[in-house]
Amino acid sequence: MNKPLLAIVVALAATSFVGCQSTHGNRSKTISADQLEPYECGTITRVHTFGSIFLASQPKPEDFEQAKDFGVKTVLNIRHESEITDFNEPKLVTDLGMTYINLPWKKTSELTDAVFEKTSHILNTSERPILFHCSSANRVGAVWIPWRVFEGGLDIEDAVAEAKTIGLRSPALEQ
């Protein structure tokens, strides 16, 4: 095999083994940080970790496989089923042996105290690591605020700053 072709084959093989990892490059790191930290997992656009919670935008099917390989036990999706048309996320996640939880909401009118309470309960009691996602991490950021304030003791300004780092960009959801 000629050298340029060999280099391409080696590069492709190396990228096929890339999984979920800290942006600091330590794949074997235990997820237990008590502060928000950027992360990478396959093709997911936005990923941060906090403790053993991955806060993310929408994963693709292969990203769920990598997350499973990295030890994720529970997937919490806050998108409506009708928002995901490319694949059957509940089936894919459960077929991979992870627990799938769907707590859908999209509009601010759907973001009720009950949603906050259920989200808090899920984050506090589900088997970890948890992959918590919506489409762009905007909604994840919105429900992150009260969880960090009430469960983590963070002041509201710091919780909002974390939520914006995660992906919150909607002023209506921030309210």
Side-chain angles (χ1 to χ4, degrees), residues 94-136:
T94 56
D95 284 355
L96 288 169
M98 297 180 283
T99 300
Y100 180 80
I101 302 169
N102 186 231
L103 182 59
W105 66 273
K106 185 172 185 175
K107 303 173 191 168
T108 54
S109 62
E110 295 175 286
L111 185 54
T112 64
D113 288 345
V115 168
F116 288 126
E117 290 168 10
K118 288 177 186 174
T119 302
S120 180
H121 177 75
I122 292 164
L123 292 176
N124 290 333
T125 62
S126 293
E127 188 174 14
R128 294 181 182 216
I130 298 169
L131 174 57
F132 179 21
H133 80 86
C134 63
S135 177
S136 65

Side-chain angles (χ1 to χ4, degrees), residues 47-155:
V47 184
H48 287 82
T49 62
F50 181 87
S52 54
I53 302 171
F54 294 89
L55 306 145
S57 57
Q58 178 64 53
K60 292 182 179 177
E62 58 272 16
D63 300 326
F64 286 109
E65 293 172 16
Q66 290 180 0
K68 167 65 178 175
D69 289 344
F70 198 66
V72 169
K73 305 285 186 212
T74 304
V75 173
L76 171 57
N77 173 14
I78 55 178
R79 298 180 77 190
H80 287 281
E81 287 183 27
S82 62
E83 292 182 76
I84 305 172
T85 58
D86 324 15
F87 64 98
N88 184 334
E89 183 174 323
K91 181 175 180 357
L92 174 68
V93 169
T94 56
D95 284 355
L96 288 169
M98 297 180 283
T99 300
Y100 180 80
I101 302 169
N102 186 231
L103 182 59
W105 66 273
K106 185 172 185 175
K107 303 173 191 168
T108 54
S109 62
E110 295 175 286
L111 185 54
T112 64
D113 288 345
V115 168
F116 288 126
E117 290 168 10
K118 288 177 186 174
T119 302
S120 180
H121 177 75
I122 292 164
L123 292 176
N124 290 333
T125 62
S126 293
E127 188 174 14
R128 294 181 182 216
I130 298 169
L131 174 57
F132 179 21
H133 80 86
C134 63
S135 177
S136 65
N138 184 37
R139 288 175 264 179
V140 170
V143 293
W144 187 249
I145 296 169
W147 190 74
R148 288 292 284 139
V149 170
F150 295 115
E151 300 295 329
L154 208 59
D155 64 56

